[in-house]
Amino acid sequence: MPTMADVARSAGVSVATVSHVLNETRPVLPHTRQAVLDAIEELGYTPNTLARSLVTSRTRSIGIAVSAISNPYFTEILQGVEAAALEHGYSLLIADPHDDPEHERKVVQLLHERRVDGMIVAPSADPHALLAYIDRHAVPTVLLDRVIDGRADTAPRFDQVCAENTEPTARLVTHLAGLGHRRIGLVAGLPGLSTTGERIIGYRKGLATAGLPLDEGLVVSGHSESAGAERATAALVSLSVPPTALVTANNAMTIGALGALRAHGLCVPDDIALCCFDDFAWADLFSPRLTAVAQPSREIGAEAVRVLLERLAAPDRPARTVRLPCTFVHRTSCGCQEEDGGAAATARAGSVWAARPRSARSQQVPQSGRSGHHQHSEYPEEGTLS
C-alpha cells in the first residue's frame, strides 16, 4: 500500500507539503498542489482519516439526526445531504431521533461524542433539551425543516434551513376557493412543530384572501402521521355540515385522509376535493392524481450542508435562516380536469399545463355545503412559490 512518503517522492515535494494538500492546513501553490494530486491518483494512495483528524482536529464527518425511517420526505432530504457532503469530502453519521425529545438529545450526544465536525438536526416538537446541549457544548449545528426562531423581526440563534410554508398553504386554499368551495378543512400536523404552525397560518391567510370565514371546527390535528390523519378526517366528514374540500399538511397525513374518505364511501374529487402539502413519488399514480405543494427536499438537504460548512469556516458569523421556495403541482384531485393526456409527464418536468373544472354535474353539492357550481379562477398550473 503506497504511503505519504511515496506520494512525496513521486511529486518531488516534501511529506509536509503532501500533508498540507491533504489536510488544507496551509496554502500550496496551484502547480505543486496538482502534482501532489496527480501522484495520489497515479499511486492509488488512500489517506489515513484517523491520522488526519489528529493533525487537524477535524474528522470531516457530519452528524445528521432526522426521522428518516418513518418519513419519506426526510429520506429525500438525506439524499441531498449525502450528495453535498460527498462533494465536499465529508462522510455522514446518521441517527433517527424518532421525533422523541429525550431520544433526540441522546442521539445528538452520541453523534457529538463521535467527534463529528458539525450536525444537521430536524428538531422535535419539544427541542429544549436538544438546544440546551448544543448551546452548552457549542456544537456547530444547522436546524433542518423545523425552525426555532421563526419571527422575521428577530435574529435567529441558530442556522436554519427550511421550505416556505405559509404562502404555499395559502395557495392551496385560494385554489380550492377559486373552484367554488366555501367549507375547506385542514388536517394539520403535530402541535409544537413550526411547520404545523406556519401551515395553519397559511390556511387562515388563504381563507382571508378568498373572503371566507374561519371555522375552527374545520381545523383538526392529524399529528403528522397516517393513523392520526385517518381519525381526524373521519371526524371532519362526520360533521353535520362537512367540508367540501380538504387540505392535508404532509404526505403521511394525505395517505391517512384518503383511507378515511374511502372508508366513508367518499370519492375524490366528486364528493370531496383534496389538495396536499408535500408531493411524493407516487402522488402521480393515484386516481385522481394529487394536486400538491412540492418541497425542494434534496435542495434543502444540500443547502443545509453548505450552511454548516460556512459555519465551520466562520464560527463567529451571525446565524441565519434560509427558506427555499416550493412548487404548486396542479393535477386533478382538486376537481380540475386535464386538457390533454400527456400532462402527467410534463407537470413533473416543470412545464405548465392547462386544467379546467370538472363538469357542472360533478360540481353540484347539497345546498348546505357550497353553491351549486364552481366559479373557476385562473391560476398558473405549476409554478414557483416563494
Side-chain angles (χ1 to χ4, degrees):
M1 179 180 293
T3 65
M4 191 180 294
D6 296 329
V7 173
R9 279 193 296 271
S10 177
V13 299
S14 67
V15 172
T17 298
V18 175
S19 176
H20 289 314
V21 170
L22 291 172
N23 299 316
E24 299 180 355
T25 47
R26 195 190 73 184
V28 177
L29 292 173
H31 70 276
T32 303
R33 175 182 174 81
Q34 190 59 52
V36 171
L37 294 177
D38 289 344
I40 289 172
E41 178 68 23
E42 180 181 347
L43 296 174
Y45 171 71
T46 302
N48 186 323
T49 303
L50 292 177
R52 179 193 295 179
S53 67
L54 293 174
V55 174
T56 64
S57 299
R58 292 279 182 90
T59 60
R60 297 197 71 83
S61 62
I62 295 171
I64 180 162
V66 298
S67 298
I69 295 174
S70 59
N71 194 328
Y73 164 67
F74 283 126
T75 303
E76 289 195 12
I77 284 182
L78 269 177
Q79 293 171 353
V81 170
E82 182 182 36
L86 183 62
E87 179 184 348
H88 291 90
Y90 280 77
S91 60
L92 296 183
L93 275 70
I94 303 172
D96 191 332
H98 302 294
D99 279 332
D100 176 77
E102 181 58 27
H103 190 61
E104 172 181 70
R105 190 204 61 78
K106 289 179 180 178
V107 300
V108 164
Q109 180 177 342
L110 287 172
L111 290 171
H112 183 222
E113 289 173 352
R114 279 154 180 76
R115 296 296 183 262
V116 294
D117 294 340
M119 285 189 277
I120 298 172
V121 183
S124 67
D126 182 15
H128 293 93
L130 161 71
L131 301 182
Y133 185 91
I134 293 171
D135 270 337
R136 184 166 62 252
H137 296 280
V139 184
T141 302
V142 174
L143 302 182
L144 183 75
D145 183 61
R146 301 143 177 192
V147 301
I148 302 301
D149 311 300
R151 291 174 51 189
D153 60 341
T154 58
R157 294 163 53 205
F158 303 95
D159 291 314
Q160 307 179 115
V161 178
C162 59
E164 292 285 355
N165 289 294
T166 303
E167 292 300 331
T169 307
R171 172 69 178 277
L172 294 177
V173 174
T174 56
H175 179 69
L176 290 168
L179 295 174
H181 294 278
R182 296 295 174 262
R183 287 183 62 77
I184 302 170
L186 173 68
V187 181
L190 184 68
L193 296 180
S194 65
T195 48
T196 298
E198 291 175 2
R199 290 168 197 175
I200 291 175
I201 291 172
Y203 166 79
R204 292 172 174 166
K205 182 175 182 178
L207 292 178
T209 300
L212 299 179
L214 172 64
D215 181 348
E216 293 289 358
L218 293 178
V219 181
V220 292
S221 176
H223 294 275
S224 298
E225 45 94 20
S226 179
E230 190 164 356
R231 293 189 295 270
T233 303
L236 281 176
V237 299
S238 299
L239 293 173
S240 57
V241 184
T244 61
L246 201 60
V247 174
T248 53
N250 79 358
N251 49 22
M253 292 192 293
T254 299
I255 302 301
L258 286 170
L261 296 177
R262 182 177 64 182
H264 283 74
L266 297 175
C267 178
V268 177
D270 292 335
D271 298 316
I272 185 168
L274 177 68
C275 289
C276 50
F277 201 107
D278 275 347
D279 198 23
F280 44 95
W282 53 91
D284 220 19
L285 304 178
F286 282 91
S287 181
R289 296 162 54 246
L290 298 178
T291 294
V293 162
Q295 299 191 73
S297 307
R298 297 191 185 193
E299 290 85 348
I300 290 172
E303 184 65 20
V305 172
R306 286 191 286 269
V307 171
L308 179 59
L309 296 184
E310 290 174 9
R311 168 63 56 198
L312 294 174
D316 296 326
R317 70 163 176 77
R320 63 193 180 103
T321 298
V322 179
R323 287 186 179 268
L324 301 181
C326 294
T327 301
F328 178 70
V329 186
H330 192 177
R331 300 190 182 102
T332 56
S333 65
C334 56
C336 294
Q337 191 171 31
E338 297 170 25
E339 291 286 358
D340 65 81
T346 57
R348 276 292 183 182
S351 301
V352 173
W353 57 279
R356 62 169 184 257
R358 289 177 175 268
S359 66
R361 178 190 61 78
S362 66
Q363 300 298 336
Q364 292 175 351
V365 295
Q367 198 66 28
S368 61
R370 62 178 186 267
S371 59
H373 300 277
H374 285 286
Q375 296 175 349
H376 181 56
S377 299
E378 293 296 327
Y379 292 91
E381 271 62 46
E382 183 173 11
T384 299
L385 298 168
S386 60

